[in-house]
Amino acid sequence: MSQTRSATRTNLSHEERTASEHRDPDLHTVILDKIKPVNDRIRILRLAIKGQQRGIPFLPGQWLDVHVPGLRKAGGFTITSTPRDAVATDSPFLELAIQDSPSNPPAAWLWKREEEILGQELSVRVGGSFVWPPPGVNLHQIKRVVFIAGGVGINPLISILSHIRQTDVSLDHLRCLYMTKIPRHNPKASDVLFLPRLLDIFHPSATGLDTEGKQERERLELFFTGGPEGPFSFQDGRFFLSEHDSLSPGKELPHCTYFSRIGDDDLRSAAGYSRKERQASLYYVCGPPNMTDHVVDFMRKQDGVDADRVLCEKWW
């Protein structure tokens, strides 16, 4: 969805900001089953689906209205798992990545101590239109899909990327540019939201491509800001954030790792170098306000890019 920012909008609740967005009619009961810290700002929550023989259907990229105990207004949080996870026959679940936000009452509740909230029942409703497959787009015309994320803007994109991998969507080119802040001291890849998952998605073994083929058809580009001052190394053409990183063997960072912000040259490359490429491309953008506005405007101005195929999610 594309919306205009304003001082008034920033003071609205999630439900008020998204009043015009599509919502499913059903309200579902889930149980806060697991909490996994990513770093000191983000935690991943697993919501077990209660009493649902068929799970909870949703499209990759959608969010949840989350009603927590004691609060009248729901919070809005993007689903980071895949539709397949939510209809698993044995233990269907939904996953959320929640940033510590004391000024956001639902987020603050979900950041309480684990012993206070684990096992609690929550009510959720699926909504949102920033989805895969995109409404009104003929996928037979799409050969390239490019994802551009900043910070927690990776949340809807990780669901879409994981779903594309799970369902073997046929594409000539898949690309992801992910910019995020890392600690200045002793940064670890496992502390970066969804980085291990992204490395799995883009690893050659996930597609059967050799390294050369992977570089041609799939590309993960990481842009790290805020560091590093701690140890990192560059070996055999690959970056490692720490000598004692918890990534498993073979999950080293890709060649396209930069300690800088995403620049216009990076966007120009991602857009595609030929008009034919750009005409067959679909772009998903999600990140902080200024970044999202700039990227969307830049991509839509590229020759051959269909403005309706540059999709963005704005949660503010």
Side-chain angles (χ1 to χ4, degrees), residues 88-100:
T89 56
D90 50 353
S91 54
F93 69 91
L94 300 168
E95 179 190 81
L96 307 175
I98 308 295
Q99 186 167 259
D100 186 14

Side-chain angles (χ1 to χ4, degrees), residues 7 10 235:
T10 59
Q235 302 172 7

Side-chain angles (χ1 to χ4, degrees), residues 61-113:
Q62 287 191 298
W63 39 255
L64 294 177
D65 292 334
V66 179
H67 297 267
V68 303
L71 294 179
R72 183 172 60 87
K73 294 183 179 180
F77 305 102
T78 301
I79 304 169
T80 58
S81 50
T82 67
R84 183 177 296 181
D85 298 324
V87 296
T89 56
D90 50 353
S91 54
F93 69 91
L94 300 168
E95 179 190 81
L96 307 175
I98 308 295
Q99 186 167 259
D100 186 14
S101 305
S103 62
N104 180 339
W109 190 95
L110 293 168
W111 259 84
K112 286 185 176 182
R113 291 180 300 175

Side-chain angles (χ1 to χ4, degrees), residues 105-121:
W109 190 95
L110 293 168
W111 259 84
K112 286 185 176 182
R113 291 180 300 175
E114 292 188 26
E115 57 269 25
E116 292 185 52
I117 58 176
L118 274 177
Q120 291 268 18
E121 289 191 359

Side-chain angles (χ1 to χ4, degrees), residues 189-221:
S190 54
D191 294 334
V192 178
L193 180 61
F194 296 125
L195 180 52
R197 199 174 299 183
L198 284 167
L199 294 175
D200 281 336
I201 290 171
F202 283 91
H203 196 269
S205 63
T207 58
L209 298 173
D210 57 23
T211 301
E212 183 177 350
K214 170 181 174 289
Q215 291 292 333
E216 290 296 321
R217 291 183 52 186
E218 302 198 350
R219 188 168 182 178
L220 171 63
E221 298 179 60

